[in-house]
Amino acid sequence: MLREIVRDLSEKGQKAIVLNLGEVNYIDSSGVGELVKAHTTIRNQGGQLKLANLTKRVHDLLEMTRLSSVFDIQRDESSAIESFGGSSQAVA
């Protein structure tokens, strides 16, 4: 589902995407792989992907895997949107 959403947004020209993970309590290795693919896809098309509202468990997982240094993690959707600096964005 994430792959389809990112592909659809990308095809529509969205270059600034926020993924609100506030209701995600668990991510397995496949989910982490999908996040990395989404990040790479958007970056290769000149865009930015930001993660917002991470639960402690998901944040700890990204810290443990050192992916927290790969992803732009923001406190909440508002902070993530503001960090784009005015470019059009999509929130999923």
Side-chain angles (χ1 to χ4, degrees):
M1 189 165 132
L2 175 63
R3 186 181 312 153
E4 291 174 23
I5 292 170
V6 169
R7 183 179 52 231
D8 289 345
L9 291 171
S10 176
E11 288 173 359
K12 292 176 182 173
Q14 291 291 330
K15 300 287 185 198
I17 299 174
V18 176
L19 293 180
N20 182 339
L21 301 179
E23 294 185 25
V24 176
N25 293 311
Y26 176 77
I27 299 178
D28 63 10
S29 59
S30 296
V32 171
E34 288 300 321
L35 285 175
V36 171
K37 286 178 194 173
H39 171 74
T40 303
T41 298
I42 297 303
R43 188 187 65 210
N44 287 344
Q45 295 177 0
Q48 294 180 331
L49 175 72
K50 299 183 185 227
L51 306 180
N53 267 348
L54 272 63
T55 61
K56 179 176 177 3
R57 188 173 188 173
V58 171
H59 187 270
D60 289 349
L61 172 68
L62 293 179
E63 287 285 327
M64 197 175 359
T65 58
R66 298 191 179 165
L67 289 171
S68 59
S69 64
V70 172
F71 292 106
D72 186 345
I73 300 171
Q74 298 291 321
R75 181 178 73 253
D76 54 35
E77 273 185 38
S78 297
S79 300
I81 291 169
E82 288 175 19
S83 72
F84 285 118
S87 59
S88 65
Q89 63 275 333
V91 178

